[in-house]
Amino acid sequence: MVQQRKQMKKSLFMKSMLIVLGSSVILTACGGSKGGSADSSGPTKIQIQTLNYATEFIDNTNVIWKEFEKRTNTKLDITWLSPSTSEEKINVMLASGDLPEVTFVETLVNPQLQKMIGQGVFWDLTPYIKDYPNLSAPTLAEMWSDSKISGKNYSIPRYYPSYGGGAFPLLRKDWMDKLGLEAPTNMDQFFDVLKAFKEKDPNGNGQADEVPYAANPDTLGFVYGVFNGVQGQWKLKDDKLVPIITEDASRDAVLWGKKAFEAGLFPKDFAIMKYSQTVDLIRGGKAGGTSQSMNHAWVTGSKIREVVPTADYMPLTYLANAAGEKYTPSGSPYYGVYLIPKKVSEDKVKKILEFFDYAYGKEGNELATYGIEGVDYKLENGRKIPTPESVKDHVGDGNMNNLIHLISDDMSIGGVGMPDDVYDRNVKIVNERKQIKTPYPSLDLYSEAYNKYYPEISKKVTDMRTKVIIGKDTIENYDKLIDQLRNDPTLKQVADDMTKAYQAKVNNK
């Protein structure tokens, strides 16, 4: 489900904003403009609203902010949104029509936004993109293609790597090594590894105190994906989208979860655990793994080492189902979009695109992420090493590097202080993941019927799944619910609407 994916990604996203130290960075090498046009009319004022994951928001006195203005001949008026209140504020803003010149929205799958786009509230940027060499660089082609609505680009997507993010298992490799286990590649092997964590004392303290997998119902979303061989909540059959909640494979996934819970592979309070509590479990050094994005091999892995210095927290490459279909998470090559309302003049639209063209080029990208060379970082053997000044300048803490994301896989696979061996392994894993094309037919689809009816239907199924897993209800009652849904006219209406949205997206690409 798109909304479920968005919430997961949002909960992990703050950590993936951190600078990658001790590693070479793969950046877009496009040429293009060296900044905004320096004409005699003076700086162009640009009003921008966007998310900020930092604990302390910067203002226009910040040196990186001012350096952006200097290099692009702009005067930036940035309103930062806190992630805890952003969704509500964005929806209120859209409903009121009081839009900044550069309007940020987390997802294009927003009913009010879709309505406004249909009403012509925002500029169609399609004719302009080709005129900006960094924005139209081949490395960003997929980003532009996937963010189209009815074949047109109404937004500037905010880049995010397609691979490396998403909640998927990371396991204690040091535990597997101690027990002579290989990384699992299917669900049976995954179960066996967790069972060994439970029974064979991998932490070596002589006590059965290990929690094999720090899980709650949300962190097990990948299990349903693996069993169905698809990402998201919809599967393509005979050119039609069908909900995986009614598929037999989802029943098998529930039974796998029930078996795992009964074997003690999940926490006892699995059903009511918050995501933060699963993270606390793994950081405490007594859990064998949990579901996180790849950068947590170090973001979380370093915290485990504070408790267990030899801990090695490793992402899995994929898990296969009984049919041999490999599942690995991937997503949109962007996270959030910037839109320009029609109240902005065409001349200013071009100035705004000049600004983003600079920011999406190598120089602007590095400025947003690493700050100023010689001030905020120094080069040593090709690596960018931050200086103490970088902390003072709020480099890489979720401010300017959240306005413009690093155009690199390092966004999702790197972390502060990540050692070369962990980084190199992550590069290898993400490159292997890229060879696996797990279908995601419902990605970024918009459906009014889906938004109106599906959340309630999904909640009923999710609640029933959890009850069956922890033994509070029976698989027979689950079957009754699924049988009802297979004949539910409302769910059929949602499926038909999703199919139309899918066919329209394919035809307009």
Side-chain angles (χ1 to χ4, degrees):
M1 181 167 57
V2 172
Q3 181 66 22
Q4 202 172 49
R5 172 180 163 270
K6 175 189 144 186
Q7 290 171 345
M8 264 309 206
K9 198 169 188 181
K10 186 174 178 182
S11 68
L12 299 177
F13 190 78
M14 177 177 175
K15 293 299 182 183
S16 69
M17 290 292 93
L18 301 171
I19 313 172
V20 181
L21 306 181
S23 64
S24 59
V25 180
I26 308 166
L27 288 167
T28 180
C30 302
S33 58
K34 192 72 173 174
S37 59
D39 56 33
S40 59
S41 62
T44 300
K45 183 178 179 180
I46 301 178
Q47 184 187 44
I48 304 173
Q49 174 188 273
T50 193
L51 275 177
N52 192 331
Y53 284 84
T55 55
E56 182 181 347
F57 293 175
I58 62 173
D59 57 26
N60 60 6
T61 64
N62 175 268
V63 297
I64 310 302
W65 183 316
K66 290 194 289 187
E67 190 67 18
F68 256 101
E69 291 180 330
K70 175 183 174 183
R71 298 187 188 185
T72 60
N73 192 32
T74 58
K75 193 70 175 175
L76 301 178
D77 177 9
I78 305 174
T79 298
W80 300 114
L81 296 175
S82 168
S84 61
T85 59
S86 61
E87 185 173 2
E88 179 184 353
K89 287 186 175 180
I90 287 170
N91 286 333
V92 169
M93 174 199 67
L94 292 174
S96 70
D98 185 15
L99 307 173
E101 293 170 330
V102 179
T103 299
F104 176 82
V105 180
E106 274 194 272
T107 173
L108 287 169
V109 187
N110 179 301
Q112 182 63 30
L113 177 64
Q114 291 280 333
K115 180 180 178 181
M116 294 171 76
I117 289 173
Q119 293 171 339
V121 173
F122 299 102
W123 277 92
D124 173 11
L125 303 176
T126 314
Y128 303 97
I129 297 166
K130 66 181 184 304
D131 298 328
Y132 301 90
N134 295 318
L135 289 177
S136 59
T139 52
L140 301 179
E142 185 184 10
M143 178 185 83
W144 290 108
S145 176
D146 284 7
S147 59
K148 284 182 176 179
I149 295 176
S150 300
K152 297 180 179 180
N153 287 112
Y154 292 95
S155 65
I156 304 166
R158 194 178 58 159
Y159 173 85
Y160 193 83
S162 296
Y163 285 84
F168 198 60
L170 282 81
L171 298 179
R172 287 281 298 273
K173 186 176 184 298
D174 54 310
W175 283 14
M176 288 190 287
D177 290 344
K178 182 176 180 179
L179 301 178
L181 302 171
E182 296 292 328
T185 59
N186 61 48
M187 293 304 293
D188 288 339
Q189 293 175 8
F190 184 56
F191 182 93
D192 291 341
V193 166
L194 298 185
K195 192 167 185 289
F197 286 174
K198 175 71 175 176
E199 298 175 349
K200 297 186 178 180
D201 192 29
N203 67 14
N205 67 357
Q207 302 177 37
D209 57 352
E210 293 89 349
V211 177
Y213 204 72
N216 68 0
D218 287 338
T219 60
L220 289 189
F222 74 92
V223 175
Y224 298 92
V226 174
F227 273 87
N228 282 281
V230 69
Q231 298 186 79
Q233 296 298 305
W234 298 82
K235 182 181 289 188
L236 191 63
K237 285 186 171 182
D238 299 323
D239 294 324
K240 293 182 179 180
L241 288 186
V242 298
I244 68 168
I245 56 174
T246 57
E247 291 291 288
D248 290 340
S250 293
R251 184 183 192 273
D252 295 337
V254 172
L255 292 176
W256 186 95
K258 179 178 176 62
K259 178 183 175 184
F261 182 81
E262 290 175 348
L265 308 187
F266 303 151
K268 292 180 180 178
D269 49 355
F270 158 86
I272 59 173
M273 285 200 84
K274 297 178 180 178
Y275 171 73
S276 60
Q277 293 174 307
T278 67
V279 176
D280 289 341
L281 269 179
I282 191 72
R283 286 183 171 187
K286 290 188 177 180
T290 192
S291 306
Q292 291 182 318
S293 57
M294 283 183 62
N295 62 318
H296 283 269
W298 187 245
V299 172
T300 297
S302 61
K303 298 298 182 182
I304 305 173
R305 290 192 183 187
E306 292 175 5
V307 181
V308 184
T310 57
D312 185 8
Y313 193 44
M314 183 184 74
L316 297 185
T317 302
Y318 68 88
L319 287 170
N321 59 23
E325 298 167 325
K326 295 179 180 180
Y327 176 98
T328 196
S330 63
S332 299
Y334 65 96
Y335 175 52
V337 295
Y338 294 109
L339 303 101
I340 306 174
K342 279 286 187 67
K343 69 179 182 180
V344 178
S345 69
E346 184 176 16
D347 285 344
K348 195 161 190 178
V349 169
K350 293 177 180 179
K351 293 286 188 181
I352 291 170
L353 290 172
E354 281 183 16
F355 171 80
F356 278 97
D357 190 62
Y358 173 77
Y360 272 65
K362 185 175 186 294
E363 181 180 299
N365 218 226
E366 291 188 344
L367 175 61
T369 306
Y370 302 106
I372 303 168
E373 184 176 357
V375 178
D376 299 299
Y377 70 90
K378 55 184 178 180
L379 288 173
E380 292 184 3
N381 299 320
R383 298 182 298 184
K384 295 178 176 64
I385 309 300
T387 66
E389 193 72 14
S390 67
V391 178
K392 179 183 174 183
D393 292 344
H394 295 276
V395 173
D397 65 356
N399 278 286
M400 294 305 288
N401 66 312
N402 197 56
L403 174 66
I404 302 296
H405 289 168
L406 181 66
I407 301 175
S408 167
D409 285 340
D410 288 354
M411 275 291 302
S412 58
I413 68 173
V416 167
M418 182 179 282
D420 286 349
D421 61 329
V422 176
Y423 176 75
D424 291 343
R425 184 174 66 192
N426 270 5
V427 170
K428 181 176 181 292
I429 291 171
V430 81
N431 286 336
E432 290 172 348
R433 285 189 180 186
K434 288 177 181 179
Q435 304 306 310
I436 300 168
K437 305 299 181 184
T438 306
Y440 201 161
S442 62
L443 180 63
D444 290 336
L445 293 185
Y446 174 75
S447 157
E448 290 187 12
Y450 175 93
N451 284 295
K452 186 175 181 180
Y453 301 117
Y454 193 79
E456 183 179 350
I457 295 171
S458 177
K459 186 178 185 306
K460 287 181 181 179
V461 175
T462 299
D463 289 346
M464 177 61 81
R465 287 172 174 176
T466 301
K467 289 177 182 178
V468 173
I469 287 172
I470 65 174
K472 295 295 185 181
D473 213 325
T474 65
I475 193 66
E476 288 77 19
N477 283 338
Y478 170 88
D479 290 338
K480 290 178 183 177
L481 173 62
I482 299 304
D483 284 340
Q484 290 172 4
L485 289 176
R486 284 172 176 157
N487 298 298
D488 186 351
T490 301
L491 183 56
K492 184 182 184 304
Q493 179 184 348
V494 174
D496 289 344
D497 208 41
M498 286 293 288
T499 296
K500 290 178 183 177
Y502 170 78
Q503 292 172 346
K505 189 172 182 69
V506 170
N507 292 334
N508 281 304
K509 269 201 171 185

